[in-house]
Amino acid sequence: MARLLPAVAALTILFLILGEFVETSPAKFDDPLRSPVDSLCHQLIVPAGYQCSEITIETKDGYLLALHRVSSSHPTNAGQRGLPVLLQHGLFMAGDAWFLNTPEQSLGFILADQGFDVWVGNVRGTRWSYGHKSLSEKDKEFWDWSWQELALYDLAEMIDFIHSATNIKLFVVGHSQGTIMSLTAFTKPEIVKKVEAAALLSPISYLGHVDAPLVLTMVSMHIDQMILAMGIHQLNFRSDWGVSLLDSICDSRINCDDLLTSITGKNCCFNNSRVDFYLEYEPHPSSSKNLHHLFQMIREGTFCQYDYGILKNLRVYGQMKPPAFNLGNIPKSLPLWMAYGGNDALADMTDFAHTLKELPSTPELLFLEDYGHVDFIVSINAKRDIYDPMIRFFKSFGNFSGAASFLPPTMVDVNSALVA
């Protein structure tokens, strides 16, 4: 039975994706003018006692992204802004990932309480962002992107905006896909010059040694290519049909702890009693092209741009194979701090060693033998194990009291605009 689990789970995921044809997405994702009470600020952050504002920024290719700014209401920090730090989430997640546990356990709250000026990113397609200036989520063109665009457009715009708003270099924290976005963006001089230092949790760039059983089964079944061939452009696991099916499977057919383990590796330290709460927010949509790009990397063992096939590669790139992203272009002067786990089936240690070999600098490393992929954002012990050492790393740079606290005239508070 255990041998059948990955194949059954892979087919289940395919059926969940097919649910996109059966049911529509949740209303709060489809509505580009949702009420402020449906925002991340009002659902998770303000109720916990923290100050939060929401801003919309526009990427160069027209996507409208929600960027949240969080600060502590603690008397010692109220009204002050520390050094800016941007939190960049992973695949099928959004900015809520940093606030899913208690304030004492969630990185977004912890950083705010430590006096940081916390900015929370949400990439295109996630439910907190606001669509596109001209495209609808129902248009296939809306979903024509992968992590490559998330790095060079979404993350680049977030970094540029925060740097302009605060007039100071920022820290970047990424998890999972947020790390591949960060590493890619840092190869570009015009982006990395605005970054003071970065902390990468479950860092990935090369994926050739991923050993997650479910992921490998999906790769071997070419599910990514099947999805694209069927004309499915949006991966939405939160349709009513999909949620009902997953609930049914988890209740009676598959142990969902085992299902998660088959994707991420065995997670040591997250609170199983909060899974239902996590599922109120996760997963978020992504694109089929994004999944295909990641699976290309697993099959080829490369860290390259999207592979369109020989003919289109010639048109797009001027060469038969997609160009590689060169980690050697990341400045040696950029301080990096990286935390990785012994049970992480997605950020494999062999691939991680490959990444380290190509970096010009020698990052500070933290190895946690028992940690799986999800532990890095929802472990009940993450503050002690990860966040406290990371914060010490950040606090070794600059003077907190010298950071800016203003909002420039070009910044639009979306909550206020929607209320008006």
Side-chain angles (χ1 to χ4, degrees), residues 221-250:
M221 293 174 65
H222 295 272
I223 282 180
D224 55 320
Q225 293 164 303
M226 292 166 57
I227 291 168
L228 288 170
M230 289 185 289
I232 303 172
H233 303 285
Q234 175 191 166
L235 300 183
N236 175 26
F237 296 94
R238 290 184 64 86
S239 65
D240 293 341
W241 183 90
V243 171
S244 297
L245 178 58
L246 186 58
D247 283 345
S248 173
I249 289 170
C250 287

Side-chain angles (χ1 to χ4, degrees), residues 158-220:
M158 294 176 202
I159 289 173
D160 181 68
F161 187 89
I162 296 167
H163 181 260
S164 297
T166 62
N167 198 32
I168 192 171
K169 288 185 177 183
L170 60 144
F171 299 122
V172 174
V173 178
H175 172 251
S176 188
Q177 180 181 259
T179 69
I180 197 171
M181 290 167 57
S182 298
L183 290 169
T184 300
F186 296 161
T187 66
K188 304 299 180 181
E190 67 276 15
I191 301 174
V192 73
K193 69 181 182 181
K194 303 163 189 171
V195 178
E196 180 72 32
L200 306 180
L201 312 178
S202 299
I204 57 174
S205 58
Y206 291 94
L207 294 171
H209 295 84
V210 166
D211 60 359
L214 173 56
V215 174
L216 292 179
T217 299
M218 294 172 67
V219 170
S220 66

